[in-house]
């Protein structure tokens, strides 16, 4: 694993905290050079200082709001010129808001699609030609179990993650013959500040706290599979089993799981 990431160039969006920051720590430990992107440049600079004190790797940080496609073009063009090429792109930036469909306003809906879907696609498009020319690379899209199992109060967020999975699956088939790996990461709830926005009332976190994944664990599962031909990373496994049952028996699953689905 160390040899696999040694000297590789890795871009991580949403790298200022949560699994983004943890992936950065693990990748740097294995000798990867990093481009860390997020809106909070102060947090990125702090992470850069921490990693440079521990590892002999190159780290570039840039402030980036992936809802701004013009900014994505500018930042990616700049960092690609500086680092030469990218081996791994981790599309990690994203957010959600849990509301009933009739309560979601259009600005909120647009913002979730701009960040979770359009931003992800824009970042990917800017590394694809370079990867195709080199015949090597790995695109890792952080999706969600919400992209497989829709639940109440997640209509918009779930729609964005269904879109991410559709895009990822198509991309994988396009790139299969040119040596580029494409992986979808589908975690369940993770104990990060994601829920400070998504779950304003704290009800959902309170109800599922004992089931929440640790960001360090999720990051480890992703980094261990960098530059490997991994189709999906589904966490936890029991939740993914539920998505399989849902695909086969949707009506029964929705009826039996109604109480659990309404914990938001």
């Amino acid at each position: 694993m160390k040899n696999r990431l040694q000297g590789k160039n890795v871009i991580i969006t949403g790298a200022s905290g949560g699994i983004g920051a943890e992936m950065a720590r693990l990748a740097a430990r294995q000798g990867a050079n990093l481009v860390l992107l997020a809106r909070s440049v102060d947090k990125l600079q702090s992470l850069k200082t921490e990693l440079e004190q521990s590892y002999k790797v190159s780290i570039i940080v840039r402030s980036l709001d992936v809802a701004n496609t013009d900014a994505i073009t500018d930042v990616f063009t700049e960092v690609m010129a500086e680092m030469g090429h990218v081996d791994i792109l981790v599309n990690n930036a994203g957010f959600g808001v849990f509301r009933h469909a009739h309560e979601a306003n259009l600005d909120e809906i647009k913002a979730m699609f701009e960040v979770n879907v359009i931003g992800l696609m824009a970042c990917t498009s800017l590394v694809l030609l370079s990867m195709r020319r080199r015949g090597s690379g790995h695109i890792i899209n952080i999706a969600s179990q919400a992209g497989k199992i829709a639940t109440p109060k997640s209509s918009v967020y779930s729609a964005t993650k269904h879109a991410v999975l559709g895009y990822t699956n198509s991309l994988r088939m396009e790139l299969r013959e040119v040596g580029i790996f494409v992986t979808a990461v589908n975690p369940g709830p993770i104990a990060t500040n994601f829920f400070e926005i998504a779950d304003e009332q704290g009800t959902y976190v309170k109800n599922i706290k004992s089931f929440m994944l640790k960001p360090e664990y999720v990051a480890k599962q992703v980094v261990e599979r960098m530059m490997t031909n991994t189709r999906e990373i589904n966490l936890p496994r029991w939740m993914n089993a539920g998505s399989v049952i849902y695909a086969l028996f949707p009506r029964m699953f929705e009826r039996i799981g109604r109480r659990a689905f309404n914990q938001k």
Side-chain angles (χ1 to χ4, degrees):
M1 183 165 55
K2 290 183 179 180
N3 290 337
R4 190 167 65 242
L5 293 186
Q6 184 71 42
K8 298 297 185 184
N9 296 331
V10 182
I11 298 178
I12 303 174
T13 67
S16 60
I19 63 171
E22 294 302 328
M23 286 187 289
R25 291 185 176 100
L26 292 172
R29 184 182 302 169
Q30 295 172 29
N33 301 311
L34 301 173
V35 175
L36 306 178
L37 307 175
R39 290 182 300 174
S40 177
V41 72
D42 290 343
K43 291 181 180 178
L44 293 178
Q45 288 288 0
S46 177
L47 181 58
K48 171 184 167 75
T49 299
E50 171 197 331
L51 298 180
E52 287 183 335
Q53 288 174 348
S54 302
Y55 312 109
K56 294 181 179 180
V57 296
S58 170
I59 300 176
I60 300 170
V61 301
R62 293 288 186 279
S63 176
L64 177 64
D65 180 354
V66 296
N68 185 335
T69 52
D70 290 336
I72 290 173
T73 300
D74 293 341
V75 169
F76 269 70
T77 300
E78 184 180 324
V79 298
M80 291 281 283
E82 187 170 343
M83 73 190 322
H85 70 274
V86 57
D87 296 291
I88 302 165
L89 168 65
V90 184
N91 284 306
N92 173 64
F95 82 101
V97 180
F98 295 158
R99 299 195 200 285
H100 289 109
H102 70 279
E103 297 172 331
N105 63 63
L106 286 178
D107 288 340
E108 204 169 70
I109 292 169
K110 289 178 181 178
M112 269 189 269
F113 272 91
E114 286 169 352
V115 172
N116 297 358
V117 183
I118 305 301
L120 177 147
M121 293 178 177
C123 292
T124 302
S125 69
L126 288 166
V127 304
L128 276 180
L129 286 178
S130 173
M131 286 185 175
R132 291 183 74 105
R133 282 195 293 267
R134 298 179 71 245
S136 175
H138 194 172
I139 294 166
I140 301 173
N141 291 333
I142 308 299
S144 171
Q145 286 294 323
K148 294 189 172 190
I149 303 175
T151 58
K153 294 184 73 174
S154 298
S155 56
V156 179
Y157 178 70
S158 183
T160 68
K161 294 304 182 177
H162 275 75
V164 169
L165 283 177
Y167 176 74
T168 304
N169 291 338
S170 178
L171 194 64
R172 185 185 301 109
M173 288 187 281
E174 288 183 15
L175 301 175
R176 180 171 293 150
E177 304 302 321
V178 295
I180 301 171
F181 304 134
V182 180
T183 302
V185 183
N186 304 307
I190 306 172
T192 68
N193 61 6
F194 171 90
F195 291 100
E196 292 177 6
I197 297 174
D199 182 32
E200 293 175 336
Q201 305 303 316
T203 306
Y204 183 57
V205 170
K206 181 179 178 181
N207 288 333
I208 56 89
K209 191 172 184 179
S210 61
F211 299 108
M212 295 180 80
L213 297 162
K214 300 295 184 185
E216 298 85 355
Y217 171 74
V218 178
K220 183 174 183 289
Q221 301 308 305
V222 176
V223 174
E224 285 182 348
R225 291 167 176 81
M226 285 181 173
M227 296 308 292
T228 70
N229 190 14
T230 301
R231 185 180 188 278
E232 287 187 348
I233 302 172
N234 295 291
L235 304 167
R237 291 182 180 179
W238 64 263
M239 189 174 288
N240 187 61
S243 71
V244 174
I245 297 171
Y246 183 41
L248 295 172
F249 308 105
R251 185 175 298 179
M252 180 191 74
F253 191 88
E254 289 175 3
R255 185 178 68 251
I256 295 173
R258 185 177 294 122
R259 180 177 296 179
F261 293 158
N262 281 285
Q263 291 193 69
K264 297 188 187 72

